[in-house]
Amino acid sequence: MTQSPFPIRGVIEGFYGLFYTAPERNDLISFIADHGFNLFIYGPKNDRQHRARWREPYPDFIMEQFAKTVAHSRNIGVDFSYSIGSGVSINYASEEDFQLITEKFKAFYEIGVRNFMIMLDDIAAEFHHEEERQMFTSYAEAHVHVANRLILWLKTLDKTCRFSLCPTDYHGIAPFSDYIHELGKGLNKEIDIFYTGPEICSKTISEQNAADFAAAVQRKPIIWDNYPVNDLAMTSEMHIGPISGREASITKVCKGFIVNTMSQAEASKIALLTFADFFNHPKEYDPWTSWEHALKTIGGEENYEALRLFAENCLYSCLDYPEAASLEQLTSKALCALQSGEKPSVSHDVQNLYDYLNELDEAGYQLKFRMTNYALRNNLVQWIELMEGWAWAGRRAIDVLRAMENNEDIRSPLNWLQESAGEVRKHPKRYAGNVLFPLIEYVESKVFEEKGTFIL
């Protein structure tokens, strides 16, 4: 394998929501090991012993699962890092709270972990206890105090221990906050710091962005890439496109990347394969060539056409790709043809759209009932069924127009259209955005013109 210019190439299970089962996590660690990644960070926000109730020890059977995962990671060359999200409720001036963190870390040290992290992101930048206000002059000083103590404590266990920190201000552009500058000045230089780019979920991350942050924190950061993660307000989205917008020359000013995956572990592998290509050859990296290879690798060669059809209309994300370029173009052409007076039964543009919608429907059937990567099928099934719903709604809209053209009774196709349109409008997931709405609205208007009443 080509030597990557990024020393650190990792995955972080750092999202909100349903986190991985132990088998899913072990499988993902095996996958990233096979593709040149060397770090896995455990830190799902909804693990209560990691964040909300971080003071509690894990149950014994969970620690046994962790022990197997840590051993598995070590055996295949992936460094397993345990993180704690204590920032939600810690008293920075409390010796008891500090000891509770060390007890949690010590439990993971004893099962083989040598890489640790503290997450201070997504928390209120304020003190909750009077003794904190008396002990520290700033929030940054409190973070420096705890982090520096923790790395020194870890080094007493084993000098090979590593420690990193996700700051409260983890994104933005120069000149950055006073907090970031104070953190950079005060933190032990061995502590790694994470940066997500100009935004929480960044469309682009440039060499200049990373260099400016590096100057502020007085060390090369590790990029925490919030793609393909789809938590919180993004849970309706399936982030299945290739990574892009990361400048190749960023290798000069960062130590590496960690990739925050989706709660859908198998579907995340598609984006992860494109990251792997970027990590290996950042200057030569081509997102769409890499993406096609990833779709074939994860979905299987025999499912490539179906998966490609599905995925090309499911590209909505922070990366700002056209969401459904093919479907949008075909719909636009069909509408233009209809609006210019072409009859729906003879228009080539209308037929092209109808044929494409048929292909989407067939692709859905292939992916649900013929694809043998069952984990991927289960990850995607809600979006696949929404794709099928759109295919039915679009075809039924055209069926209504053709029935009207032929002076046929439209009650049956109209009822079917109403049903399909209602289903896709109520669906909790997002697929192809609003691309087909103009066609449905056009049908509404035509029926209203002819019948005088129509409500979808």
Side-chain angles (χ1 to χ4, degrees), residues 60 72 74 77 89 94 102 138 158 204-205 239 272 369 374 391:
D60 290 344
H72 173 63
R74 182 174 58 247
S89 62
S94 166
T102 62
S138 69
D158 189 325
T204 61
I205 307 175
H239 294 162
L272 286 175
F369 302 116
Y374 303 121

Side-chain angles (χ1 to χ4, degrees), residues 109 113-116 150-163 188 190:
Y109 175 85
V113 175
R114 296 296 181 268
N115 194 321
F116 297 87
L150 282 171
I151 192 170
L152 290 175
W153 175 82
L154 286 167
K155 293 294 184 181
T156 65
L157 295 179
D158 189 325
K159 293 190 183 205
T160 66
C161 283
R162 295 168 58 190
F163 184 63
N188 184 308
E190 291 190 51

Side-chain angles (χ1 to χ4, degrees), residues 16-29:
Y16 293 87
L18 188 68
F19 52 94
Y20 301 146
T21 64
E24 284 177 319
R25 188 172 302 115
N26 293 342
D27 174 75
L28 188 60
I29 290 170

